[in-house]
């Protein structure tokens, strides 16, 4: 997959891929306008939404209603380094949700592709390339 990343103004940085544009910004204290989530907030949101896709798929495959189901994501960071040390996902289900599926629901959320990529991170290759003709 290829994405085009550009700078539409201020501290905004957008990613374009296929028909989509993902907008990011920094909070005012970081020099931005707070008009969109930060890139790191989107990264964290991708964990919970990815797990959510698997939970949704699990329920749909079994004809289970998803009304009242939600995921709560808690992120714990090291106060000294600011680095994330733990991500907790709590799957909340209504009292009518069959208890026999609780463990399977957890296993389905653990299949999240974002989580799996964090467990086996890719290599990063960052480089500069000159494009276009000099003025």
């Amino acid at each position: 997959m290829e994405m085009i990343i550009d700078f539409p103004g201020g501290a905004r940085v957008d990613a374009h891929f296929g028909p989509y544009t993902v907008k990011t910004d920094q909070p005012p204290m970081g020099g931005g306008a707070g008009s969109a989530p930060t890139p790191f907030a989107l990264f964290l949101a991708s964990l919970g939404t990815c797990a959510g896709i698997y939970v949704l798929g699990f329920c749909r495959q079994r004809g289970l209603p998803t009304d009242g189901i939600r995921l709560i994501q808690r992120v714990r960071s090291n106060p000294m380094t600011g680095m994330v040390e733990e991500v907790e996902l709590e799957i909340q289900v209504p009292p009518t949700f069959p208890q026999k599926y609780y463990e399977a629901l957890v296993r389905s959320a653990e299949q999240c592709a974002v989580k799996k990529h964090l467990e086996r991170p890719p290599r990063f290759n960052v480089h500069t390339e000159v494009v276009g003709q000099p003025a």
Side-chain angles (χ1 to χ4, degrees), residues 8-9 12 16 19 22 30 37 56 67 73 85-86 89 91 94 105:
R12 293 178 297 162
H16 308 274
V22 174
L56 177 63
D67 296 341
Q73 179 172 292
E85 290 190 334
E86 182 181 15
L89 280 175
I91 305 169
L105 203 59

Side-chain angles (χ1 to χ4, degrees), residues 92-115:
Q92 296 183 341
V93 296
T96 55
F97 192 85
Q99 187 174 357
K100 70 179 182 177
Y101 291 121
Y102 287 7
E103 288 182 29
L105 203 59
V106 168
R107 284 193 305 273
S108 71
E110 289 176 338
Q111 297 305 306
C112 165
V114 178
K115 174 188 171 289

Side-chain angles (χ1 to χ4, degrees), residues 53-116:
I53 286 293
Y54 284 86
V55 168
L56 177 63
F58 176 88
C59 291
R60 283 185 171 171
Q61 286 176 348
R62 287 154 186 80
L64 298 168
T66 56
D67 296 341
I69 298 177
R70 67 182 190 168
L71 281 71
I72 306 296
Q73 179 172 292
R74 296 178 185 92
V75 177
R76 292 179 185 81
S77 299
N78 180 315
M80 301 299 288
T81 65
M83 298 294 289
V84 172
E85 290 190 334
E86 182 181 15
V87 177
E88 175 190 352
L89 280 175
E90 176 181 302
I91 305 169
Q92 296 183 341
V93 296
T96 55
F97 192 85
Q99 187 174 357
K100 70 179 182 177
Y101 291 121
Y102 287 7
E103 288 182 29
L105 203 59
V106 168
R107 284 193 305 273
S108 71
E110 289 176 338
Q111 297 305 306
C112 165
V114 178
K115 174 188 171 289
K116 287 186 174 200

Side-chain angles (χ1 to χ4, degrees), residues 2 7 15 26-27 29 35 40 42 56 62 68-69 84 86 90 99 101 116 123 125 128:
E2 181 174 283
F7 310 101
Q26 294 295 311
M29 66 183 223
S35 66
F40 192 68
L42 285 177
L56 177 63
R62 287 154 186 80
I69 298 177
V84 172
E86 182 181 15
E90 176 181 302
Q99 187 174 357
Y101 291 121
K116 287 186 174 200
R123 290 181 305 280
N125 177 12
T128 301

